[in-house]
Each structure stands twice: as C-alpha cells, then as structure tokens.
Amino acid sequence: MAVNMKGKSLIEIHQLTLEEIWEIFDLSASLKMKLITGESHRLLEGKTLGMIFSKPSTRTRVSFETGIFQLGGLGMYFSQNDLQLKKSENISDSAKVLSRYLSGIMIRTFDHQDVIDLARFGSIPVINGLTDLHHPCQVLADLFTILEKKKTLRGLKLAYIGDGNNMAHSLLHGCSKTGMDISIASPGDYKPLDYIVKESLENAKVFGSKIEILDDPVAAVKDADIIYTDVWASMGQESQAEDRKKKFMKYQVNPELVKYAKEDYLFMHCLPAHRGDEVVNEVADSPNSVIFDEAENRLHVQKAIMALLM
Ligand code: CP
Ligand code: NVA
C-alpha cells in the first residue's frame, strides 16, 4: 500500500519512516524520468508554495521555485525583510494567516525551533529548507544520488569530514535510517551534537548501520564508498571563518586523503564549496565527484516531497 504523507511537514529526516523515505525516492525517480521525456506531471495544479528565506540560497531557492512551477503550482519568494514574521507578528499568528492563503511553506532560517513552531501553529505542510541544525532536503537528494550511482544504500560507508554542522546532523539521521555506515571526523569542539548522535545510534540499531565519531580524517575515510564535506564556517558564522580555517586545515579533502577511500568512491558536497579550504579542485572536479548531480537532484527530490506533502 502506498504511504500517505499528505498534510505532513518535513522538519528532520529523523521523523520520516523508512517507507516514507523510499516513497520519496520512488516518486523522485518517476518525476525525473517524466521531466526528461517531456511527460506532463502537473501534480500540484493551482497550489501555492511560500518560500521564506532568512539566509541566502542558490540551489534551494531555484530548485524549489522551478519545481513548484513544473508541478503546475506557484512559488512565492519572501526574504526575511518582506514579512511581519518575528518582527511585528509572532510565529503563531503568522503561521495561522499564511495557512489561509498557501498550500505549503518552505523555510530557510537560523533557529530550528522556528520551523517546528511554524508547523505546529499552522495547518499546512512546512518544509525545512535548512536551519542551523538540519538540512533534510539536501540529504534526501544526496541519498537519492548515491542510490542512482551505487544502486543500493544499505552497507555502504559514508565518511563525513569537517564541521559537525547541519549537514553532519542530517547525514547522521539519513544514513542511520537507510542502513548506511557513517564515520564523521571533526576537530574536538566541532563534533555533531550528542543528542543527534544518540538518535542516530538508536536508528542504527534498528536498521543495521554503524556510526563512528572520530578525530582522525584518515580513519574515517578508510575504505569509504562516499566522502562528503561541507564548508568550515556555515552561514551566520562568517566572523569565525579565519579561526576555523586554522583548526580545520587537517580536515581538507585532497588527493592525499582520498587515497584511503575505495577506488570508486564518490565525492559529495552540498555546495556552495569553498575551494582551497574544505576541498581542492583536484577532488571536486575529479571523475569521482558527483557534486552537480546532487545539486540537480535537489529539484527532482523536492518535487517529490512537495507532491507527497501538499
Ligand atoms: N546546498 C544548498 O542548500 O545550497 P544553497 O545554499 O545555494 O541553497
Ligand atoms: N553548512 C552550510 C550548508 C549550506 C548548504 C551552511 O549552513 O551554511
């Protein structure tokens, strides 16, 4: 029986069942094929998606807006300054008002609690387009990309090298739910949050994956099928960039480090990449790199997410 996700929000991958994750992947593959063959797939004719951004974006904005258009709906972009939200109107009232006009909301913001509150007080699906804690749409697109390239997820090893940030958190949830092993190497004070590691360890027990939180990038990359990295200073941490650069230099993904992975490893990065910092061109532009496939798959996977929720 098909899984019914209508009306639900997507706030963290941890809240999705494995069946729901596979439903998203199945529909993503079908919508991707329909786009390639030119078959109509206007599953959200007449629906409206509000897109609220408190941080900049290339991929998230363009892929959601293109995606809702291809599905027959309308996307509306609001920057932080365009709405009364959290300025002259609280989240609860804003959520109730927006629910009277829109069919769904995509929000990119700092405080994860704002996304939770928007979903709690409103009556339409809310999609997390990145918070300081999570980036679920990115990781669902990443897992879909791995599935396309490797034909399976279960049993693969992903090595995440760098900051224990929103990407590390969503990858922990996503890998542990889909039976992938994940090894994270970060400097001492930059490890992923304990409670998210704990949630992922619980998933790992159920779905048969292995989780390692390490200091040593070489140990993490050893025999990896996928090497993943992200910026050392995320949006909102720009003032720490110089300090972090010194602390993270040992965590650069370069030809020396990738030697320890399997020969047919995939290199992944959510982008934007700071080339020369967390990754060098020789790796980002190598035949192992799938960074632009990941970026493309944001479109297909988010169309599936919108179609299922809205
Ligand atoms: N990966 C990602 O979310 O990119 P943007 O910040 O450009 O949306
Ligand atoms: N960790 C990065 C991800 C960008 C897609 C950030 O939050 O800026």
Side-chain angles (χ1 to χ4, degrees):
M1 201 185 74
V3 179
N4 185 3
M5 297 172 68
K6 213 172 155 67
K8 287 194 180 181
S9 288
L10 173 56
I11 299 173
E12 298 175 22
I13 293 181
H14 193 54
Q15 293 152 351
L16 294 174
T17 65
L18 186 58
E19 290 70 29
E20 287 172 337
I21 294 175
W22 281 103
E23 188 77 8
I24 293 169
F25 293 163
D26 286 346
L27 186 57
S28 304
S30 144
L31 292 177
K32 185 169 182 173
M33 191 47 76
K34 287 195 164 104
L35 187 67
I36 291 166
T37 58
E39 198 181 321
S40 172
H41 52 280
R42 296 171 68 86
L43 301 178
L44 295 179
E45 191 84 57
K47 305 263 183 178
T48 50
L49 177 77
M51 306 187 303
I52 305 171
F53 284 89
S54 306
K55 294 177 179 177
S57 165
T58 296
R59 280 141 290 269
T60 306
R61 186 203 169 158
V62 179
S63 56
F64 266 105
E65 197 161 336
T66 302
I68 185 77
F69 174 75
Q70 290 176 354
L71 291 168
L74 173 75
M76 278 178 261
Y77 171 86
F78 306 106
S79 83
Q80 190 178 12
N81 299 325
D82 295 326
L83 300 174
Q84 309 279 17
L85 180 67
K86 280 194 93 180
K87 294 199 287 282
S88 61
E89 193 166 40
N90 66 28
I91 294 202
S92 165
D93 287 353
S94 300
K96 286 172 189 144
V97 171
L98 291 173
S99 297
R100 300 280 177 122
Y101 305 126
L102 300 168
S103 324
I105 295 173
M106 193 288 310
I107 177 164
R108 162 169 289 194
T109 193
F110 294 87
D111 190 349
H112 192 66
Q113 189 61 43
D114 290 351
V115 182
I116 296 171
D117 289 343
L118 206 52
R120 180 158 67 106
F121 295 118
S123 53
I124 52 173
V126 172
I127 300 170
N128 178 356
L130 181 145
T131 62
D132 286 349
L133 278 191
H134 289 287
H135 198 0
C137 294
Q138 177 70 52
V139 168
L140 288 166
D142 295 336
L143 295 176
F144 180 72
T145 307
I146 297 169
L147 188 61
E148 282 185 327
K149 305 285 176 195
K150 297 278 182 196
K151 310 294 171 214
T152 184
L153 295 179
R154 187 166 287 281
L156 296 179
K157 174 181 174 179
L158 184 144
Y160 176 90
I161 309 300
D163 190 21
N165 60 13
N166 43 12
M167 282 308 308
H169 292 155
S170 289
L171 283 166
L172 272 166
H173 280 162
C175 291
S176 61
K177 277 245 159 140
T178 53
M180 284 176 68
D181 298 341
I182 174 165
S183 295
I184 297 191
S186 325
D189 293 338
Y190 300 92
K191 302 261 188 262
L193 292 176
D194 283 344
Y195 85 91
I196 293 172
V197 175
K198 218 170 125 215
E199 286 173 348
S200 306
L201 283 167
E202 281 157 23
N203 291 335
K205 254 190 257 162
V206 178
F207 301 106
S209 39
K210 215 169 85 191
I211 296 176
E212 290 180 315
I213 309 294
L214 308 167
D215 290 306
D216 181 9
V218 171
V221 163
K222 183 125 197 359
D223 295 326
D225 299 280
I226 299 111
I227 301 178
Y228 204 113
T229 191
D230 184 18
V231 290
W232 293 336
S234 285
M235 289 179 273
Q237 299 172 333
E238 289 79 4
S239 65
Q240 302 170 29
E242 279 313 305
D243 178 47
R244 283 171 172 258
K245 211 174 180 146
K246 289 180 214 130
K247 292 177 173 148
F248 279 86
M249 214 52 215
K250 207 179 101 188
Y251 294 82
Q252 183 182 69
V253 178
N254 54 35
E256 221 12 69
L257 183 64
V258 303
K259 277 197 317 222
Y260 297 94
K262 290 197 180 139
E263 207 177 307
D264 62 347
Y265 81 94
L266 302 177
F267 173 71
M268 302 185 84
H269 191 311
C270 55
L271 305 180
H274 294 170
R275 288 164 179 260
D277 285 351
E278 75 273 6
V279 65
V280 298
N281 291 343
E282 293 95 306
V283 175
D285 300 326
S286 72
N288 298 71
S289 175
V290 295
I291 55 178
F292 300 115
D293 298 308
E294 296 175 74
E296 181 193 326
N297 281 334
R298 292 289 302 276
L299 172 69
H300 310 301
V301 170
Q302 288 162 189
K303 281 166 74 180
I305 292 167
M306 288 190 279
L308 288 166
L309 305 183
M310 289 160 62

